[in-house]
Amino acid sequence: MLSDFDVHLYLHGPLNNYGMLVHARNSGETIAIDCGDADETLRALEHAGWSLNEIWVTHHHPDHTAGVAAVKEKTGCLVRGPEQGRSLPISDLDVEYWDGSRFSFAGHDVNVLATPGHTLDMINYYLPDQAAVFTGDTLFTLGCGRIFDGSPGLLKQSLGKLAALPPSTLVFGAHEYTKTNIAFTRHVDPKNLAVNERIARLEKLLDAGMPTVPVKLAGELATNPFLRPGDRGIRANLVMENASDDEVFTRLREIRNNF
């Protein structure tokens, strides 16, 4: 999946959160991307046979942070997360970051991208030499995050930041929402051949009980409605041919809220 890391995914909670353990083969160090459930995280570590060194928090929502304190106490790990004061506080952070911050893990550069919209404190972690980005609740397979304390304009801008990464980048979204996102995408873009072909591939994965994470950014650029508000087919289907991209994006998010 990644050239220098092994990734262990596990689902937990009523919101189908993806827990993610990322293990560096060269150093034996391990990261948890968010930690919404302490027991599930510790169970996954035991199953993988890895020791936890760090937690990288994407935003403050409890389904991403509720297990941080207990896992930190159990493992002594370092906790990285978003700069505080932008939204509700996150306890137990050791290091705070915002847009443009950089740090190193196991000899690899990690670039922090601020992607507010779902929340005002959302950050994503991009490893350029691994062509991988951990997007939290910003970008999902065929979807994006619901807006809580952000705004449509902020979320659209943040998605544009992710869309500018190399198309080969692997996108690790934090929830398995693909089944609902498929229904939504069919609704707003029913005549797009590329969309329908990709949906067929994703449905095979879902039918086999396989994760639809990660996905290549190229696939999202071609088929995710939220990355294509200027698409003529989507605009015609929404009867918004003369609307701005911002207006189309806002309408798409409103429709998805009710799916």
Side-chain angles (χ1 to χ4, degrees):
M1 190 181 295
L2 302 182
S3 62
D4 296 331
F5 293 86
D6 294 315
V7 180
H8 176 64
L9 300 175
Y10 55 99
L11 283 172
H12 65 86
L15 298 177
N16 280 343
N17 286 71
Y18 271 116
M20 301 183 192
L21 300 179
V22 184
H23 179 75
R25 299 189 197 104
N26 65 340
S27 68
E29 296 171 281
T30 304
I31 316 149
I33 307 295
D34 288 327
C35 185
D37 188 303
D39 290 339
E40 291 292 341
T41 300
L42 294 171
R43 192 163 19 249
L45 285 163
E46 183 177 6
H47 176 78
W50 299 336
S51 297
L52 188 66
N53 300 91
E54 300 189 5
I55 298 172
W56 298 358
V57 177
T58 61
H59 65 296
H60 71 273
H61 280 167
D63 60 312
H64 296 258
T65 61
V68 169
V71 170
K72 181 178 180 180
E73 181 178 5
K74 179 78 173 180
T75 65
C77 66
L78 179 79
V79 183
R80 308 181 189 267
E83 184 177 86
Q84 296 298 277
R86 298 177 182 275
S87 197
L88 294 179
I90 303 170
S91 61
D92 296 291
L93 292 186
D94 296 304
V95 193
E96 300 176 12
Y97 301 101
W98 197 241
D99 196 48
S101 298
R102 296 182 180 182
F103 61 92
S104 179
F105 179 79
H108 297 268
D109 290 335
V110 182
N111 297 345
V112 177
L113 307 175
T115 57
H118 173 68
T119 64
L120 291 176
D121 64 344
M122 175 72 70
I123 60 173
N124 295 171
Y125 299 91
Y126 174 50
L127 283 69
D129 72 348
Q130 299 298 295
V133 62
F134 298 92
T135 59
D137 286 2
T138 305
L139 179 62
F140 302 128
T141 305
L142 289 179
C144 71
R146 184 186 292 263
I147 297 165
F148 285 86
D149 55 357
S151 68
L154 273 177
L155 182 55
K156 181 174 175 291
Q157 183 179 18
S158 294
L159 289 170
K161 190 180 296 183
L162 294 173
L165 297 176
S168 60
T169 301
L170 287 175
V171 176
F172 290 82
H175 290 269
E176 183 54 84
Y177 289 160
T178 305
K179 184 176 181 179
T180 304
N181 287 341
I182 284 172
F184 161 74
T185 302
R186 278 191 171 129
H187 178 73
V188 299
D189 196 12
K191 299 178 181 179
N192 188 316
L193 179 60
V195 165
N196 291 328
E197 288 177 347
R198 185 168 186 233
I199 283 174
R201 294 193 296 272
L202 290 170
E203 287 181 326
K204 286 183 180 179
L205 289 175
L206 291 170
D207 289 344
M210 300 292 288
T212 63
V213 170
V215 291
K216 281 195 175 180
L217 179 60
E220 296 306 307
L221 293 170
T223 61
N224 188 323
F226 292 105
L227 299 182
R228 300 181 297 118
D231 184 88
R232 291 183 180 180
I234 291 175
R235 286 168 165 264
N237 192 54
L238 298 180
V239 194
M240 297 185 72
E241 291 92 336
N242 298 318
S244 68
D245 283 359
D246 286 348
E247 289 170 331
V248 174
F249 181 87
T250 298
R251 181 61 183 143
L252 287 170
R253 189 58 256 179
E254 290 171 348
I255 295 170
R256 177 61 181 84
N257 290 347
N258 295 310
F259 258 78

